[in-house]
Amino acid sequence: MNLEIILHAGLATGTILLFAAIGEIFAERSGILNLGVEGMMLLGAMAGFSTSLATQNAWLGLLAAMLAGGLLSIAHSLVTVHFQADQVVSGLSLTFLGTGLALVLGEGLTGQNPPLIPDVSIPLLSQIPFIGSVFFTDHSVLVYVGYIFAPLAWYFVYKTRPGMHLRAVGEKPSAADTLGISVYGVRYFYTFIGGVLAGLAGATISLSVSPGWYSSQTTSGQGWIAVGLVIFAQWNPLRAAFGGYLFGMLRRFILDLQGPATLLGFANPLYVNSNYGFFLQMMPFVLTIIALVWGSRAATKKRLGAPAALGVPYIRGERGL
């Protein structure tokens, strides 16, 4: 194994999780739990791939993916904000809906070769030993966008007035409403933004990191990992970026671990018995399940700093949240 290759590939894969997780953070900070990230990502991956193929323009494909994820998220906001339905049930339904639409509309796309988001190297920075080859050489444009987007998202949430309104709606919607903040409007808007970023994450897969359309295997459960990362990150965009890159590197390390040699060049016993590879590939998802189960406890959510009104429908005029 080559450490530079693992880190380089981990940054690319982690960018997918970064976009999806920060999108979910925006939605959850407003009080809306959206478990439909996987469905929105898959629909975004299909929409981006098919649009890029039809228009021969990868950037239009990227916009189509973001729009597809955003439009799908509106269904979730309508059900949960307007009709106050159970957010877990609605989110799971959204995953099924997005997956079904992607599979039906994406039929026949396998094996096609549309234009892709270009890989570029950053002048001067790419010449820095080790750091340059890992962080600034031959990465997709979207990876560099991720470098900037995570700190900007953090600054927006914690240092701006709209970010303060977002956190207020997620913590105490009745108080926010009293101050003239539109609770319903904020929740609709940030659920939509979460869908847009999930669609962007899907297009990052199909048009950049792992180009192609492979039906339900395109996202490979990364939407669920992104949901788990939100808890791991304690609803903080910078921690979500760190967790996304860490998971990305872990996935690449697991793949390389199934090769004939380890990082130190010694013979790898796992290479002899490929059955172990199955269990190794399960590890990121096992960690995600543990995070979701652990983070779902009320005491744990409070300790981690989860939005107090997360998952709680807001009905104007009622006491409490």
Side-chain angles (χ1 to χ4, degrees):
M1 286 178 237
N2 187 304
L3 181 59
E4 286 188 18
I5 293 176
I6 292 175
L7 296 177
H8 188 276
L11 290 173
T13 304
T15 300
I16 301 168
L17 298 173
L18 180 153
F19 288 137
I22 292 180
E24 181 66 7
I25 286 173
F26 279 128
E28 293 194 14
R29 278 286 180 186
S30 74
I32 299 297
L33 174 65
N34 190 351
L35 297 181
V37 178
E38 179 78 6
M40 295 185 295
M41 282 179 64
L42 193 59
L43 186 63
M46 185 281 302
F49 189 87
S50 60
T51 303
S52 178
L53 182 65
T55 63
Q56 291 297 298
N57 188 317
W59 301 108
L60 288 179
L62 203 65
L63 290 175
M66 296 167 70
L67 182 60
L71 289 176
L72 191 60
S73 71
I74 290 177
H76 181 63
S77 10
L78 181 65
V79 170
T80 57
V81 177
H82 186 75
F83 295 106
Q84 290 92 39
D86 187 280
Q87 296 179 12
V88 173
V89 174
S90 176
L92 292 175
S93 302
L94 200 68
T95 290
F96 297 138
L97 176 61
T99 302
L101 287 173
L103 294 180
V104 171
L105 298 176
E107 187 175 358
L109 293 179
T110 304
Q112 302 292 327
N113 296 297
L116 304 176
I117 303 297
D119 291 343
V120 297
S121 297
I122 304 298
L124 299 180
L125 293 178
S126 60
Q127 304 302 316
I128 302 173
F130 188 77
I131 293 176
S133 60
V134 170
F135 290 93
F136 304 110
T137 301
D138 293 331
H139 276 303
S140 167
V141 173
L142 297 176
V143 173
Y144 301 120
V145 171
Y147 293 166
I148 302 171
F149 182 69
L152 286 179
W154 177 88
Y155 184 84
F156 176 84
V157 171
Y158 292 103
K159 300 295 183 179
T160 67
R161 182 174 293 275
M164 181 185 67
H165 292 174
L166 167 64
R167 288 183 286 123
V169 168
E171 293 292 339
K172 196 74 173 178
S174 58
D177 197 4
T178 302
L179 293 174
I181 301 171
S182 173
V183 175
Y184 296 147
V186 166
R187 289 187 167 183
Y188 267 108
F189 178 73
Y190 286 104
T191 304
F192 174 76
I193 293 299
V196 166
L197 291 174
L200 174 60
T204 303
I205 300 174
S206 63
L207 294 177
S208 179
V209 176
S210 301
W213 170 248
Y214 311 104
S215 67
S216 60
Q217 298 302 313
T218 300
T219 52
S220 301
Q222 292 182 79
W224 295 109
I225 295 178
V227 173
L229 273 178
V230 174
I231 299 172
F232 171 84
Q234 299 181 358
W235 292 267
N236 184 313
L238 287 180
R239 290 177 180 172
F242 172 77
Y245 292 139
L246 184 64
F247 265 79
M249 293 172 188
L250 175 63
R251 294 190 69 182
R252 177 56 193 244
F253 176 73
I254 288 172
L255 288 175
D256 285 4
L257 195 61
Q258 298 172 60
T262 65
L263 184 62
L264 299 177
F266 295 107
N268 182 5
L270 299 179
Y271 180 68
V272 178
N273 188 347
S274 60
N275 291 331
Y276 286 106
F278 173 79
F279 292 101
L280 289 171
Q281 293 176 35
M282 287 172 52
M283 291 307 298
F285 301 99
V286 171
L287 294 174
T288 300
I289 292 172
I290 292 173
L292 287 172
V293 172
W294 178 63
S296 64
R297 299 168 53 199
T300 303
K301 288 170 66 176
K302 185 176 181 179
R303 187 166 66 250
L304 291 176
L310 178 60
V312 181
Y314 175 67
I315 302 175
R316 196 169 194 179
E318 283 196 346
R319 289 187 175 182
L321 294 174

